[in-house]
Amino acid sequence: MKSLNLTLTQELEVSRRQAEKATEEARLRMDEARRLATDMEGRVKLLGDLERELAALEGERDEALLSLQEARQAMQAQAQERTTLEAAVAEAKRALADSLSEEERLAGELESSKDEAAALRRTVDTLQGERDVLAQQVASLTAERAELLEARKALEAVHRALSQAVSR
């Protein structure tokens, strides 16, 4: 029985130590729970403050978003105007390029026409010179023909006179 008592005493001692340890742990946990409760109250207060600050920030964000939306609309309007102006400038550049091209073409045609006119003047001058030479030749040939006709008439008259002289 002694051994049973000893065993029971030892078990009792172990149980008492475990109970003291459990009590100490329970006390520590209670202190921790009180500390956590105090901490939680502080956090609840902080959370309330943060919620109010968040609400204020959301209001500022909403105002900023509205302002941003207005700015974007203004930028889109400016972008559309810029696109319209760029298209107008591009069209004006094309028109200018077409005008310059047409001007160059007309200048080339004018230069070609001037060269052709100069060539035609030279041809006219040459033809006038040839016409003058031909006119002189025609006049000379006409005079020669008139002389030949006169000579022929004279020859025919001589021929007739000879024929009459022979027939007599």
Side-chain angles (χ1 to χ4, degrees):
M1 189 72 80
K2 265 186 177 182
S3 89
L4 184 64
N5 270 344
L6 183 62
T7 307
L8 286 174
T9 305
Q10 287 174 349
E11 285 178 11
L12 185 60
E13 187 62 32
V14 168
S15 293
R16 189 177 57 80
R17 273 187 246 147
Q18 286 177 349
E20 285 176 2
K21 192 176 186 184
T23 303
E24 183 64 28
E25 283 179 14
R27 201 174 311 127
L28 289 174
R29 285 186 182 163
M30 285 301 286
D31 289 344
E32 181 69 17
R34 281 188 208 105
R35 189 185 59 77
L36 287 176
T38 305
D39 229 13
M40 287 302 284
E41 287 173 7
R43 287 184 181 186
V44 166
K45 182 182 175 193
L46 179 62
L47 184 58
D49 292 344
L50 289 175
E51 285 176 345
R52 284 189 294 281
E53 190 173 328
L54 179 61
L57 288 174
E58 285 176 344
E60 289 177 13
R61 181 203 63 200
D62 291 344
E63 290 176 14
L65 287 174
L66 183 60
S67 176
L68 177 63
Q69 186 178 17
E70 290 171 354
R72 281 184 179 163
Q73 289 173 346
M75 286 175 61
Q76 286 176 343
Q78 288 174 348
Q80 288 174 346
E81 183 179 355
R82 179 180 178 163
T83 301
T84 302
L85 291 174
E86 285 174 347
V89 167
E91 181 62 31
K93 283 182 179 180
R94 279 192 296 278
L96 178 61
D98 290 346
S99 295
L100 290 174
S101 176
E102 181 68 12
E103 181 184 349
E104 288 176 8
R105 185 186 66 77
L106 291 174
E109 286 180 11
L110 178 62
E111 193 63 35
S112 175
S113 294
K114 283 181 180 178
D115 292 345
E116 190 176 319
L120 289 173
R121 275 191 214 101
R122 286 190 300 274
T123 302
V124 166
D125 290 345
T126 302
L127 289 174
Q128 282 178 344
E130 289 177 5
R131 186 196 66 192
D132 291 345
V133 168
L134 288 174
Q136 287 175 354
Q137 288 177 351
V138 166
S140 172
L141 288 173
T142 302
E144 192 175 317
R145 180 175 175 241
E147 288 175 10
L148 286 174
L149 283 175
E150 285 299 317
R152 182 176 185 189
K153 285 181 187 176
L155 185 59
E156 284 176 357
V158 169
H159 195 43
R160 265 191 312 253
L162 283 175
S163 287
Q164 285 176 356
V166 167
S167 28
R168 288 193 233 180

